[in-house]
Amino acid sequence: MLSKYHKWREGEEVAKYSIGILQGDDIGLEVVPVAVKVLQEAVDRYPGVKIDWLDLPIGYPSYLECGETMPQRTLDALYDLDGWFLGPIGHMAYPRDDPKAMNPHPFLRREFDLVSNIRPTKSFSSLPCLHQSVDLVIIRENNEGFQPDRNMFRGTAEYMPTPDLAMSVRVITRRNSEFAARTAFELARQRNSLKKVTAIHKNTVFKLGCGLFIDTCQEVAKEYPDIEFETMVVDTFAMALVMRPQKYDVVVSTNMFGDILTDEAAGLVGGLGMAPGLCVGPRYVMAQATHGSAPDIAGRHIANPYAMIMSGQMMLSWLGNKKGDGEAIQAARDIELGVGKVLDELAAVTPDLGGKASTGEMGEAVCAAMRNLPPGAGSIY
Ligand code: NAD
């Protein structure tokens, strides 16, 4: 099934990129279509880049429609795609006792081996951020650590031997630590920034778990002599991030620490609406913003689409790099420029950023800003 966003070009039967649209819950129904529209607008500027979009059911709307939050037909379709948008999942509102109302996003991260979660934090001087000149990326290992919903092959890593005793098992593997570390060093090499990787741990206490993580990062660091490498204890880093975030470039962390630190970082630059994310593994990629489904503002069309738009931008850039497709990379660059222009001028921004624009109006302003760019503007070559 091709969605309404698909644009057919004469004489071409196979699109270069097949991308799924999984809207999720609550504000996902508002921000994901806007992000898709912006991506389509960007690639329309480059005749060599084509996207086949595929709408797929997920989350509570899917539960109401077909009785499952993670239907098999969605899963089957994802294996054949290049990547997909996953909107925020409001699983805390799902029925508790129905196994068909599972939380799909940890499952997807695990099923598709999406080991690294890349979460950038960037300040804009036009916005009332706690800090200016912030430009860092946190790589969070995505599938193990303390998260019991994904760190076991079967069973759960949380259990209660007695009604008054709960236990949680933390899992760290060399394989996933190495993948996350490599993602961090490769990114540090690509970025035009401090060329530094900071690895976060608490090996003062978790001598084996964090010890294995840090030892693995240190091993990977030897392959990147051009990148400065440092390690920091998580509590010290949490404080330093609030006081001097400008000191950091690429940060790599185990799962739970990364989950907390990325929300903290988002708070420095305007909140969760400003926190995009990309989940990547050896084969698949999933654009998933850091924020949740925000039921408190859902249905009002005031959610900030920045996080989801930039998650899509990262996915396009990642796919372009993977396929050596300069036009896709340039289209991704155009999105960044268009978004930057809207934020710099505060032309049409949502209420969380102090504006009055709706989600759709902010997306439309990004499209308009891109239309005014000459193709290849701000070329990255
Ligand atoms: P949340 O991220 O949904 O919201 C926290 C606060 O940030 C709210 O005040 C919300 O209005 C605001 N916010 C979030 N995104 C915004 C945006 N794009 N624009 C403007 N404001 C935004 O966290 P929560 O309220 O703790 O969780 C709500 C639901 O989302 C829960 O079911 C939770 O489990 C789920 N959740 C899902 C994900 C995910 O899918 N990745 C992540 C976190 C939470």
Side-chain angles (χ1 to χ4, degrees), residues 108-125:
L108 289 173
R109 287 174 180 179
R110 179 67 184 245
E111 179 69 16
F112 290 93
D113 200 20
L114 300 167
V115 181
S116 294
N117 195 336
I118 305 171
R119 293 179 158 182
T121 299
K122 188 170 163 54
S123 62
F124 288 85
S125 55

Side-chain angles (χ1 to χ4, degrees), residues 18-319:
S18 50
I19 297 185
I21 305 170
L22 287 68
Q23 293 195 352
D25 298 315
D26 300 321
I27 63 165
L29 310 183
E30 298 157 40
V31 293
V32 173
V34 167
V36 169
K37 209 170 166 188
V38 169
L39 231 74
Q40 184 62 60
E41 180 86 30
V43 299
D44 276 347
R45 295 160 51 80
Y46 298 92
V49 190
K50 291 166 281 291
I51 298 179
D52 267 354
W53 297 102
L54 190 61
D55 285 310
L56 293 166
I58 194 118
Y60 203 60
S62 164
Y63 186 76
L64 294 178
E65 193 189 310
C66 63
E68 286 180 277
T69 53
M70 181 67 260
Q72 187 63 40
R73 78 177 166 98
T74 294
L75 200 53
D76 291 343
L78 293 180
Y79 288 107
D80 294 328
L81 298 180
D82 288 308
W84 56 90
F85 275 104
L86 177 65
I89 298 294
H91 62 97
M92 293 303 281
Y94 292 178
R96 284 287 157 116
D97 46 0
D98 185 350
K100 289 183 180 293
M102 70 185 288
N103 179 2
H105 83 85
F107 175 78
L108 289 173
R109 287 174 180 179
R110 179 67 184 245
E111 179 69 16
F112 290 93
D113 200 20
L114 300 167
V115 181
S116 294
N117 195 336
I118 305 171
R119 293 179 158 182
T121 299
K122 188 170 163 54
S123 62
F124 288 85
S125 55
S126 53
L127 300 178
C129 302
L130 289 180
H131 281 279
Q132 293 299 341
S133 307
V134 181
D135 185 5
L136 60 90
V137 185
I138 298 178
I139 314 297
R140 161 191 176 195
E141 193 291 323
N142 226 4
N143 281 337
E144 43 191 42
F146 263 123
Q147 272 71 350
D149 52 6
R150 73 200 82 157
N151 68 1
M152 292 280 133
F153 172 61
R154 290 226 198 290
T156 167
E158 257 199 331
Y159 43 93
M160 291 184 76
T162 78
D164 302 312
L165 171 66
M167 301 177 81
S168 307
V169 175
R170 181 177 189 234
V171 177
I172 304 290
T173 65
R174 192 181 299 281
R175 187 254 186 191
N176 279 22
S177 301
E178 184 179 333
F179 192 93
R182 219 168 273 289
T183 308
F185 280 98
E186 287 295 326
L187 202 59
R189 224 172 226 176
Q190 281 168 26
R191 277 163 57 83
N192 196 13
S193 196
L194 301 174
K195 306 274 180 222
K196 179 165 94 166
V197 170
T198 307
I200 306 303
H201 66 92
K202 183 84 179 172
N203 69 5
T204 45
V205 176
F206 295 100
K207 292 186 191 305
L208 300 183
C210 280
L212 176 58
F213 177 73
I214 282 297
D215 287 352
T216 308
C217 289
Q218 254 148 3
E219 279 303 306
V220 174
K222 289 182 192 156
E223 296 171 36
Y224 296 84
D226 49 321
I227 305 296
E228 185 188 340
F229 177 63
E230 66 178 4
T231 66
M232 277 184 85
V233 176
V234 64
D235 34 347
T236 311
F237 179 76
M239 178 207 61
L241 183 62
V242 171
M243 295 186 76
R244 284 289 311 279
Q246 300 84 354
K247 277 177 63 182
Y248 303 101
D249 179 8
V250 179
V251 177
V252 61
S253 160
T254 50
N255 199 346
M256 181 66 84
F257 295 160
D259 193 16
I260 297 165
L261 293 171
T262 47
D263 274 35
E264 182 188 332
L268 301 175
V269 298
L272 282 168
M274 298 300 293
L278 190 71
C279 298
V280 302
R283 158 74 178 84
Y284 294 98
V285 60
M286 176 169 88
Q288 184 188 20
T290 298
H291 62 73
S293 67
D296 54 337
I297 56 168
R300 293 166 58 197
H301 297 274
I302 56 167
N304 182 352
Y306 172 92
M308 195 53 78
I309 292 172
M310 290 305 291
S311 302
Q313 186 271 349
M314 291 164 71
M315 174 164 63
L316 184 60
S317 182
W318 191 89
L319 288 172

